[in-house]
Amino acid sequence: MIIGETLAGRGDDAWSHYRKILPSYVEEKYSTLHKVEPYVNCQMVAGKDAARPGEGKNSWLTGTAAWMWLTVSQYILGIKPEYDGLRIDPCVPSTATEYSVKRKFRDAEYRIRICNPQGVNTGVASMEVDGTPVEGNTIPYRPGSHEVTVVMG
């Protein structure tokens, strides 16, 4: 569902859904009820009317953590590995005005700074790699260390 929201360009909705199942957010909000490690994704957590409220089911056994990582890194933050390089296609909440990511890809390291001065959910207006403008939204693969600046809009 979260990935679907990003594909529809609804960054605010995607982030809202993501936060609702993020273990650290759930722990912060429901710590008196939540009886699972605050860093573990479970299949489900029993509600207040259950026989054992707050108990997590199948913690450590689901594939949820991997899906959460893929969802946030490739769809919300929008850094997707492709054959020719890294495609930058963020779908963030309108409150995300700037963020940075260090991404290793093959034998390269990219320090990516994404600026969102207009508070849009999606769209890349411009991108520079090592100070040189790049057409489109794919960082061309090159070995070494690189500085990338992306402006959304």
Side-chain angles (χ1 to χ4, degrees):
M1 184 167 133
I2 299 165
I3 291 172
E5 292 288 5
T6 66
L7 295 175
R10 295 189 290 256
D12 290 315
D13 292 336
W15 182 247
S16 174
H17 295 313
Y18 184 80
R19 280 191 358 201
K20 288 177 185 174
I21 61 174
L22 189 64
S24 58
Y25 176 76
V26 172
E27 178 67 19
E28 182 180 296
K29 193 168 183 178
Y30 303 106
S31 62
T32 58
L33 175 65
H34 200 232
K35 297 176 184 168
V36 182
E37 299 95 326
Y39 45 83
V40 171
N41 290 106
C42 296
Q43 179 182 22
M44 56 80 69
V45 176
K48 64 181 180 180
D49 296 327
R52 295 191 350 226
E55 183 177 87
K57 306 293 184 195
N58 295 326
S59 65
W60 296 97
L61 300 176
T62 71
T64 306
W67 277 106
M68 292 288 279
W69 171 250
L70 180 99
T71 300
V72 74
S73 65
Q74 293 188 25
Y75 290 89
I76 294 175
L77 298 178
I79 302 171
K80 299 177 186 178
E82 294 190 342
Y83 182 77
D84 294 329
L86 292 173
R87 183 162 45 104
I88 308 298
D89 189 19
C91 187
V92 296
S94 55
T95 56
T97 57
E98 184 174 327
Y99 61 94
S100 297
V101 175
K102 183 166 74 171
R103 176 66 156 86
K104 292 184 179 186
F105 179 64
R106 299 179 185 143
D107 57 344
E109 182 176 284
Y110 298 92
R111 284 178 300 287
I112 304 165
R113 184 171 149 251
I114 298 181
C115 305
N116 187 8
Q118 299 170 352
V120 298
N121 288 146
T122 190
V124 171
S126 66
M127 185 165 61
E128 291 183 357
V129 178
D130 297 326
T132 303
V134 173
E135 288 293 319
N137 65 337
T138 299
I139 303 168
Y141 166 71
R142 284 193 319 246
S145 183
H146 305 283
E147 298 287 333
V148 180
T149 303
V150 177
V151 177
M152 292 179 66

